[in-house]
Amino acid sequence: QQQQQQQQYQQQYPGPAPPPSAGSSSSVYPTSAPPMGMYGRGAPPPGGMMPGMGGQQGGYPPDADARSIDVQNLDQKALPRPGEDQARPNSNLSCDPKYLRLTVGALPQSVGLKQRFALPVGCIVRPMCPGDSVPTAQFGSSGIVRCRRCRTYINPFVQFIEGGRRYRCNVCSLPNDVPVDYFCALDENGVRRDVAERPELRSGTVEFLASAEYMVRPPMPPTYFFAFDVSQTAVRSGFLKSAIDTVRDCLDSMQSKSDRTRIGFITYDRSIHFYGFRSTSMGA
C-alpha cells in the first residue's frame, strides 16, 4: 500500500519521494500539498504563490522551513510586489499608483498570517508627482462633498439613493444628504446622469481645490531651505561644488513659481553656520 502511495505521489509531484513515516501504516503524504522541497528541480510550488499569502491553497505548508525554498529557480513574477504604473483593468476608479501605492502587493487574510510573516506595510504618497494632468473636481458654492461622520471624500464607490437626493458612504455606510447645487437625477441603473462630467465620480485620481473653510490662515509662501556640508572631505571630493552648482541652476525656476518664494541656506562641518540675506541681495 505504501509503494502504491509513493508511485501516485511521484506521478503528481515529480522528484525524489520522502521516506515513509516510521510506525505509520496510514496515508504517508498529504493530498493537499506535498512536503517542503518535494517539487523536483526547478519546479515552482503549485499555484505559483508563496506560502500562506492570501490564503492560497496548494503552496508550501504553513510550518515549512523557508530555507528549503529554491531561490535561484523561484519565479520572481509570482512574488507580491507594489503595483506597477501600467494600466490595469478598472484602474480608472482606483488611484494611480504613481501618486499613491502600498509597499506590498498582497495582504494577509488573518491576524495569524500577519504575525507569522510580519510584513511591514507602508504607503508611498507622491501628490506632486510629475505626469499627466489630473482632473479637477468642481463643487460650486456647496464646497467639497464629504461624509459627515467619517469625513471621506465623495468618490466613485459611493452609492446614490433616494433618487439622487442622498448617497451612502462607501467607508462607514452612513447615508448623507446631497447638497442642492450638487444634486443630479439618476438613470434607470441608479447612476447619476452627469457622471461623465464629474471626475470625482469616475476617476480615482482627482485634484480637490481647497476652499476658504480649509484655510485657517493665508497660504504659506513657497520656502526652500538648503544645508551644505562644508567639511574638508566635501570640499576635496567636489561634493560641495556640485551641490552649489545644482542649487544655483534651480534658483530662477524656484523664484518664477511665486513672487513670495523664500530661500534660505545653512552650512555645517563641526558646527552649524547661519546666514542672513536681504531680498535685494539675491541678485548679487
Side-chain angles (χ1 to χ4, degrees):
Q1 182 180 1
Q2 292 182 354
Q3 292 179 353
Q4 292 179 356
Q5 292 176 349
Q6 290 178 356
Q7 293 176 357
Q8 294 177 358
Y9 180 87
Q10 290 185 350
Q11 291 177 359
Q12 184 175 3
Y13 305 106
S21 303
S24 174
S25 60
S26 60
S27 178
V28 178
Y29 310 116
T31 56
S32 60
M36 194 58 152
M38 294 296 110
Y39 297 102
R41 178 178 291 274
M49 294 297 294
M50 293 298 291
M53 290 305 299
Q56 296 291 335
Q57 297 181 353
Y60 294 115
D63 57 349
D65 187 357
R67 293 174 295 180
S68 302
I69 300 177
D70 189 357
V71 179
Q72 294 181 352
N73 296 319
L74 185 65
D75 185 7
Q76 298 294 330
K77 296 182 180 179
L79 296 175
R81 63 189 62 242
E84 293 108 2
D85 291 340
Q86 283 75 18
R88 292 177 176 268
N90 199 29
S91 61
N92 289 336
L93 300 183
S94 298
C95 181
D96 192 323
K98 293 187 301 183
Y99 302 98
L100 180 68
R101 70 165 59 181
L102 293 176
T103 55
V104 295
L107 298 175
Q109 291 184 341
S110 65
V111 177
L113 287 177
K114 175 180 178 296
Q115 295 176 348
R116 185 193 312 164
F117 289 94
L119 290 175
V121 179
C123 185
I124 303 173
V125 183
R126 302 177 63 196
M128 308 302 292
C129 175
D132 301 334
S133 59
V134 178
T136 302
Q138 303 290 343
F139 293 97
S141 59
S142 62
I144 300 176
V145 180
R146 303 175 66 181
C147 176
R148 68 175 186 272
R149 180 164 64 188
C150 68
R151 307 306 293 167
T152 297
Y153 289 79
I154 196 166
N155 59 80
F157 301 100
V158 302
Q159 179 186 8
F160 287 92
I161 56 179
E162 299 182 12
R165 293 185 295 272
R166 309 185 78 189
Y167 76 90
R168 189 179 305 277
C169 177
N170 61 303
V171 175
C172 69
S173 301
L174 178 71
N176 291 267
D177 295 331
V178 175
V180 177
D181 55 351
Y182 193 74
F183 170 79
C184 182
L186 308 181
D187 60 13
E188 61 277 6
N189 298 319
V191 181
R192 286 176 58 116
R193 298 184 181 276
D194 65 344
V195 65
E197 304 172 3
R198 295 288 185 180
E200 68 275 11
L201 300 180
R202 56 180 174 82
S203 177
T205 307
V206 183
E207 186 79 30
F208 290 91
L209 296 180
S211 56
E213 61 181 314
Y214 289 86
M215 301 181 186
V216 296
R217 61 178 183 273
M220 299 294 291
T223 303
Y224 303 89
F225 202 80
F226 301 96
F228 294 102
D229 181 0
V230 294
S231 62
Q232 294 183 3
T233 302
V235 174
R236 287 197 302 264
S237 64
F239 176 77
L240 176 60
K241 183 179 184 303
S242 299
I244 293 176
D245 293 341
T246 302
V247 173
R248 182 188 293 115
D249 295 339
C250 299
L251 287 178
D252 292 338
S253 61
M254 295 176 186
Q255 190 176 4
S256 62
K257 294 180 179 180
S258 173
D259 55 359
R260 300 183 302 120
T261 301
R262 296 179 179 180
I263 300 176
F265 301 90
I266 62 170
T267 58
Y268 63 92
D269 43 19
R270 293 185 177 180
S271 58
I272 302 177
H273 314 282
F274 297 91
Y275 302 87
F277 296 95
R278 298 177 182 176
S279 58
T280 56
S281 64
M282 292 301 296

